Amino acid sequence: GLELTVQGARLQIVPATQEEADGVEAAERIRASEVEEVEARLSGSKLGEAEAAAIILSLQGKPGLSLLDLSDSSISAPAAKLLGNAFGTPALPVASLAHLTLSRSPLGDASALLLLACLPRLPSLRTLRLDATLLSPLAGPPLAQLLSALHVPPLLEELDLGGNSLLSTGVEALAACLRKGALPALRCLTLD
């Protein structure tokens, strides 16, 4: 795992193995940023539970996170659960998160839904990219339920679910949630 040590006021993250270096480097890039608005571009990362914890630690005290890009990343189920449970809580308020990108990260249904549990706690979310994340028709109903529970009024303008296998079952669940008035600001829905 990662070894977390404090040196003065600076948190130092030391990888125990080379495989963890990607997640550590990404966390260091976030921590190095001292500006009010933070964009965390972590595409291509390998995220286990320790790397997810390091990212959460590095984002604490940075409520100005506006973009989180985990595209092309390998995200374990424990990491997805940890991130999903942390985002939007008092421990990690990300009220300004407007763009969440998970494109081409092979999450599958279970990990995607664990990670997306935070959606109702993201009041500023405008873009959600879940293209090519290995979602199946079984993900449609719970995803529709999460989308229906978004902050009122939901600001989500773009939802990309292309490149998944939602089929008619998953798409119908999403269509039903939209017919009921969920996502009134939605301008672009990609399903192909």
Side-chain angles (χ1 to χ4, degrees):
L2 295 177
E3 179 183 329
L4 303 175
T5 59
V6 177
Q7 294 181 338
R10 184 171 180 259
L11 180 67
Q12 180 182 10
I13 304 172
V14 181
T17 67
Q18 182 57 39
E19 283 183 358
E20 295 169 341
D22 291 338
V24 172
E25 182 181 316
E28 287 295 327
R29 286 195 312 258
I30 295 170
R31 188 176 304 95
S33 173
E34 294 300 328
V35 296
E36 274 190 36
E37 186 173 300
V38 177
E39 292 186 352
R41 296 182 185 276
L42 308 174
S43 62
S45 298
K46 292 180 184 176
L47 299 181
E49 195 168 15
E51 292 82 9
I55 288 169
I56 289 168
L57 280 174
S58 62
L59 288 172
Q60 286 179 337
K62 297 190 183 301
L65 179 68
S66 64
L67 178 143
L68 177 60
D69 181 356
L70 293 170
S71 60
D72 301 304
S73 294
S74 173
I75 305 169
S76 71
K81 183 176 183 179
L82 188 60
L83 291 169
N85 286 337
F87 285 125
T89 66
L92 189 60
V94 287
S96 60
L97 183 62
H99 308 282
L100 177 58
T101 301
L102 299 164
S103 302
R104 299 170 310 280
S105 295
L107 293 169
D109 295 343
S111 290
L113 293 171
L114 287 171
L115 183 55
L116 296 176
C118 66
L119 286 181
R121 299 187 306 269
L122 303 177
S124 299
L125 192 65
R126 294 184 182 279
T127 304
L128 178 59
R129 292 192 175 99
L130 296 167
D131 51 301
T133 51
L134 301 179
L135 297 178
S136 79
L138 298 176
L143 181 57
Q145 193 172 27
L146 282 170
L147 292 171
S148 294
L150 285 178
H151 186 268
V152 178
L155 301 175
L156 193 67
E157 297 170 347
E158 181 182 343
L159 176 60
D160 188 347
L161 295 166
N164 288 297
S165 298
L166 292 173
L167 304 176
S168 60
T169 307
V171 172
E172 180 52 41
L174 292 168
C177 114
L178 294 174
R179 279 193 298 274
K180 291 178 183 173
L183 310 180
L186 192 67
R187 301 286 177 255
C188 179
L189 173 62
T190 305
L191 294 170
D192 65 349

